[in-house]
């Protein structure tokens, strides 16, 4: 079972809230995210947000990168501390079931909302806000068979997200989890493991999988007894923290040469926003692992609670925004100034999303966790505990490292 670390849960919770805020912005005031590519509703305020570090409020892609770095760390840190291979095997076997059950429930919820026409409010809203990047959402004809297929297969293996746009991350999350499980299992105890880590990092550098590998590397580093990367120097940590936040605020909209981020838009990276957001997420993670003060902040009750419900909140928030929030906005927009209609719609929606996320966590997410544990304990663990499995495992390991020795020694 994945070991819970309160301050990491707290970071995950804050990141989930940040993703939710981004989706409020994207649907209702998209120029805050995309700058001059979208019509303005709040005057210069949107440009200030989209071209300065204030954009951290709603930096959803940066927060997604934090999710991925966290996954790489959390899924492997206990293994690096104990060197017990059953931890990796358990995590890998349980991963699909643990992720799938909540995804299935959220997809069915989306199907029901689409079937009663609740998402037509979204279509009307984006016509008013002018976000033509997202105007193709919720235009499909709902079909329960198609919804189930997408939940079972498409969301995890082909990147399908018709019934819930946030599910694009599930493919990355699943494959990224398997990637770090394999790397840790095959090379995690080897003296030359960093050769393989580096090779994997270079190969996946221009993708989100890079974040998982770096997260795993941090788990390896910080769960060794003596690490040169551990420090309590407040000056060093402060510089890294603010640098990470600055990189995390790199806009996903237009970046001009005369902007605050112009010097970063130098063509050095193939996908600048992806690389900078991952590097920023790694810096935040590094500081958190070293700073007791920051650990106390993220271990406080509110962040920890948000971390507990973060997966549930992530899965259902866009569905609620696309139905309830947009319906409320359309009513208020006709009688109130634009920014007031946006504020009230978002505020009341948060009051709905948080308790619904808790209920989803309690009655659905925890079921997924429980079923994954039952499957492993009753089906898989008896098999891998047998002598025949141990023999096969030893043979596989000796074969792999025999090939490695011939290639690198």
């Amino acid at each position: 079972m994945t070991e819970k670390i309160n301050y990491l849960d707290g970071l995950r919770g804050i990141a989930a809230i940040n993703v939710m805020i981004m989706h409020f912005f994207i649907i209702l005031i998209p120029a805050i995210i995309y700058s001059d590519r979208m019509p303005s509703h709040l005057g210069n305020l949107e440009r200030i947000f989209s071209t300065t570090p204030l954009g951290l409020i709603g930096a959803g892609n940066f927060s997604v990168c934090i999710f991925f770095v966290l996954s790489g760390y959390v899924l492997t840190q206990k293994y690096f501390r104990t060197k017990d291979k059953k931890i990796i095997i358990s995590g890998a076997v349980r991963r699909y079931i643990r992720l799938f059950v909540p995804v299935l429930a959220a997809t069915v919820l989306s199907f029901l909302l689409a079937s009663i026409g609740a998402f037509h409010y979204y279509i009307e809203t984006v016509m008013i806000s002018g976000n033509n990047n997202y105007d193709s959402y919720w235009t499909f004809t709902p079909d329960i068979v198609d919804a189930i297929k997408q939940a079972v297969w498409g969301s995890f293996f082909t990147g399908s997200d018709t019934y819930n746009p946030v599910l694009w991350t599930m493919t990355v999350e699943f494959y990224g989890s398997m990637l770090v499980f394999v790397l840790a299992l095959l090379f995690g105890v080897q003296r030359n493991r960093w050769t393989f880590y580096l090779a994997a990092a270079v190969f996946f550098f221009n993708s989100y999988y890079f974040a998982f590998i770096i997260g795993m590397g941090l788990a390896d580093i910080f769960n060794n007894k003596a690490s040169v990367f551990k420090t309590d120097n407040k000056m060093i940590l402060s510089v890294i923290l603010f640098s990470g936040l600055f990189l995390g605020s790199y806009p996903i909209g237009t970046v001009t040469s005369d902007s605050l981020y112009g010097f970063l838009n130098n063509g050095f990276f193939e996908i600048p926003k992806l690389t900078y957001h991952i590097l920023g997420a790694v810096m935040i993670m590094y500081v958190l692992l070293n700073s007791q003060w920051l650990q106390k902040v993220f271990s406080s009750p509110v962040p920890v609670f948000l971390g507990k419900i973060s997966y549930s909140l992530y899965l259902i928030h866009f569905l609620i925004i696309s139905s309830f929030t947009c319906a409320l906005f359309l009513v208020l927009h006709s009688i109130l100034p634009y920014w007031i209609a946006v504020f009230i719609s978002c505020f009341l929606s948060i009051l709905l999303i948080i308790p619904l996320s808790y209920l989803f966590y309690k009655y659905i997410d925890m079921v997924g966790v429980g079923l994954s544990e039952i499957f492993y304990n009753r089906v898989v663990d008896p098999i891998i505990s047998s002598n025949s499995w141990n023999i096969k495992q030893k043979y596989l390991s000796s074969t792999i490292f025999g090939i490695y020795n011939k290639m690198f020694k």
Side-chain angles (χ1 to χ4, degrees):
M1 184 174 180
T2 302
E3 185 173 326
K4 293 292 183 181
I5 303 175
N6 281 341
Y7 58 83
L8 297 184
D9 269 358
L11 177 61
R12 185 183 289 108
I14 299 302
I17 291 294
N18 198 254
V19 171
M20 178 184 68
I21 291 172
M22 180 195 72
H23 286 138
F24 280 132
F25 287 166
I26 280 178
I27 295 171
L28 298 171
I29 38 179
I32 277 186
I33 304 297
Y34 294 108
S35 187
D36 57 350
R37 289 160 51 186
M38 299 291 170
S40 174
H41 299 284
L42 306 178
N44 291 329
L45 182 62
E46 290 151 304
R47 179 167 176 77
I48 292 173
F49 267 79
S50 64
T51 58
T52 70
L54 284 176
L56 284 168
I57 306 173
N61 190 68
F62 173 50
S63 292
V64 166
C65 292
I66 290 176
F67 289 153
F68 294 155
V69 174
L70 278 168
S71 289
Y73 184 93
V74 171
L75 293 174
T76 59
Q77 60 89 22
K78 189 175 180 180
Y79 166 73
F80 284 118
R81 194 172 69 250
T82 65
K83 302 301 188 292
D84 182 359
K85 292 184 178 181
K86 289 182 68 174
I87 293 171
I88 295 297
I89 297 169
S90 171
V93 169
R94 294 170 47 236
R95 194 63 174 161
Y96 173 80
I97 298 175
R98 188 268 175 274
L99 295 173
F100 162 71
V101 173
V103 166
L104 175 63
T107 303
V108 171
L109 174 61
S110 175
F111 165 78
L112 294 174
L113 290 171
S115 297
I116 64 174
F119 293 140
H120 83 271
Y121 300 114
Y122 170 92
I123 296 172
E124 294 180 35
T125 297
V126 295
M127 290 179 64
I128 294 173
S129 69
N131 189 342
N132 53 20
N133 276 10
Y134 280 57
D135 59 3
S136 62
Y137 288 167
W138 310 126
T139 58
F140 61 91
T141 301
D143 180 276
I144 187 60
V145 175
D146 181 55
I148 298 300
K149 286 181 179 178
Q150 191 168 120
V152 173
W153 180 264
S155 297
F156 295 99
F157 302 105
T158 64
S160 301
D161 59 6
T162 305
Y163 285 86
N164 194 346
V166 304
L167 292 183
W168 71 268
T169 61
M170 287 300 104
T171 304
V172 181
E173 178 66 36
F174 182 73
Y175 284 134
S177 299
M178 294 303 111
L179 174 62
V180 295
F181 283 143
V182 169
L183 287 173
L185 183 63
L186 295 182
F187 311 117
V189 296
Q190 302 305 309
R191 182 173 299 177
N192 296 320
R193 61 190 180 279
W194 290 97
T195 302
F196 292 98
Y197 295 172
L198 179 60
V202 171
F203 185 81
F204 290 106
F205 184 74
N206 290 306
S207 74
Y208 286 107
Y209 299 115
F210 178 60
F212 287 85
I213 296 167
I214 299 299
M216 181 195 66
L218 290 175
D220 192 340
I221 290 170
F222 280 89
N223 285 279
N224 286 325
K225 292 182 179 180
S227 173
V228 296
F229 290 95
K230 295 180 181 179
T231 179
D232 58 359
N233 187 302
K234 293 182 180 179
M235 181 63 70
I236 293 175
L237 293 178
S238 296
V239 170
I240 296 174
L241 175 62
F242 286 108
S243 297
L245 291 173
F246 182 76
L247 292 179
S249 69
Y250 184 88
I252 64 173
T254 304
V255 178
T256 59
S257 58
D258 60 343
S259 76
L260 189 63
Y261 303 91
F263 74 98
L264 293 175
N265 191 24
N266 49 31
F268 187 74
F269 297 121
E270 183 177 336
I271 311 174
K273 68 177 183 180
L274 183 149
T275 304
Y276 290 132
H277 289 172
I278 291 176
L279 293 176
V282 171
M283 291 179 182
I284 300 302
M285 186 72 171
Y286 175 82
V287 174
L288 182 57
L289 292 171
N290 278 291
S291 172
Q292 293 185 2
W293 176 82
L294 210 56
Q295 289 174 11
K296 290 180 180 178
V297 171
F298 282 99
S299 296
S300 56
V302 172
V304 170
F305 171 76
L306 293 174
K308 181 190 299 184
I309 66 170
S310 60
Y311 186 40
S312 299
L313 187 150
Y314 181 79
L315 290 177
I316 70 172
H317 79 273
F318 198 84
L319 307 181
I320 297 171
I321 293 174
S322 298
S323 51
F324 174 81
T325 307
C326 290
L328 183 58
F329 169 77
L330 291 172
V331 173
L332 297 176
H333 173 253
S334 62
I335 58 176
L336 295 172
Y338 196 95
W339 73 270
I340 296 178
V342 169
F343 177 80
I344 295 176
S345 300
C346 294
F347 179 76
L348 294 180
S349 296
I350 291 172
L351 296 182
L352 176 64
I353 291 171
I354 298 299
L356 286 180
S357 297
Y358 175 74
L359 293 175
F360 195 95
Y361 156 78
K362 185 175 181 180
Y363 295 107
I364 295 174
D365 190 19
M366 293 309 295
V367 170
V369 174
L371 288 176
S372 70
E373 291 176 351
I374 291 171
F375 176 73
Y376 175 78
N377 292 332
R378 296 186 180 181
V379 178
V380 180
D381 189 49
I383 296 174
I384 65 175
S385 297
S386 66
N387 291 330
S388 60
W389 167 265
N390 292 332
I391 293 172
K392 291 178 181 178
Q393 189 184 36
K394 289 179 181 179
Y395 178 76
L396 177 62
S397 298
S398 63
T399 301
I400 291 173
F401 291 112
I403 295 172
Y404 166 75
N405 287 330
K406 291 182 179 179
M407 293 178 62
F408 295 98
K409 292 185 178 181

